[in-house]
Amino acid sequence: MQNLVLARIDDRLIHGQVMTKWLKSTGAQNVVIVDDEVAKNDFMINVFESAIPEDIGIGVFNKEDAVTFFSEPLEAPTLILVKIPETLEYMINHGIDIKEIDLGGMGAKNGRNTLYQYISTSSEEDSCFLRLLDKGINVYVQIVPQNEKVPIKSLIGKKNSL
């Protein structure tokens, strides 16, 4: 998809310093959050709108509206943020052309085990990542732009061999 500069999974969505680095690194002029719960929470939408630099556009959509939005050409470099891989899988399964996915942050919680540094995933999320890989999507871990991309397949393999 032309002008899609990054599709990122980070359950914090907009995290100040990390987002600043990604905006500078990618040249994104728009950030689109895709999350069903956030899309219906006006308070959180206001929080995210105030957390983003004034010269950056922001949109918040549920999955269905995101598919509609991304079915049209993007007019400016755009970054997608989601909390979980299933959201991007839904978009891809509904025809949105996403070639790469960056896993940047998923915190520990019940049902998740450590995948890499401070990133934790559940077995269902690992299965989702493997399905995305099977579709030819390049899925990797890169917390900040200065880090090397680490292919997720090897991380899932190591996690499951423990």
Side-chain angles (χ1 to χ4, degrees):
M1 168 177 280
Q2 186 174 3
N3 274 333
L4 178 61
V5 294
L6 182 67
R8 178 174 169 85
I9 301 166
D10 189 333
D11 59 10
R12 302 166 297 184
L13 295 173
I14 295 175
H15 182 262
Q17 295 175 349
V18 174
M19 182 53 52
T20 300
K21 290 178 181 179
W22 280 112
L23 289 171
K24 184 176 181 180
S25 165
T26 62
Q29 296 175 11
N30 293 312
V31 173
V32 175
I33 293 172
V34 182
D35 186 84
D36 291 347
E37 295 303 315
V38 173
K40 57 186 176 186
N41 184 330
D42 290 337
F43 175 77
M44 288 309 298
I45 292 171
N46 287 333
V47 168
F48 289 126
E49 286 175 342
S50 65
I52 206 90
E54 287 185 16
D55 60 334
I56 302 295
I58 184 167
V60 180
F61 298 110
N62 62 31
K63 289 184 300 204
E64 292 80 15
D65 290 344
V67 167
T68 301
F69 179 81
F70 285 100
S71 295
E72 300 294 324
L74 297 172
E75 295 179 9
T78 300
L79 187 156
I80 299 174
L81 285 174
V82 302
K83 288 183 176 179
I84 54 174
E86 288 85 351
T87 303
L88 291 172
E89 182 180 41
Y90 176 90
M91 293 173 66
I92 291 165
N93 288 344
H94 286 80
I96 304 305
D97 183 23
I98 297 172
K99 296 186 176 0
E100 290 191 336
I101 295 173
D102 168 34
L103 172 55
M106 290 175 62
K109 65 179 186 180
N110 279 345
R112 284 185 180 167
N113 295 310
T114 301
L115 178 71
Y116 179 78
Q117 295 184 359
Y118 301 110
I119 297 173
S120 296
T121 57
S122 68
S123 59
E124 293 82 12
E125 291 159 342
D126 290 344
S127 295
C128 181
F129 285 123
L130 294 174
R131 290 191 302 272
L132 290 165
L133 291 169
D134 286 345
K135 293 178 186 287
I137 311 296
N138 180 22
V139 184
Y140 56 87
V141 172
Q142 187 177 22
I143 298 169
V144 292
Q146 296 82 2
N147 295 143
E148 295 288 323
K149 294 178 181 178
V150 180
I152 198 164
K153 189 170 188 175
S154 63
L155 297 173
I156 291 172
K158 285 180 189 174
K159 176 183 168 190
N160 292 329
S161 68
L162 298 176

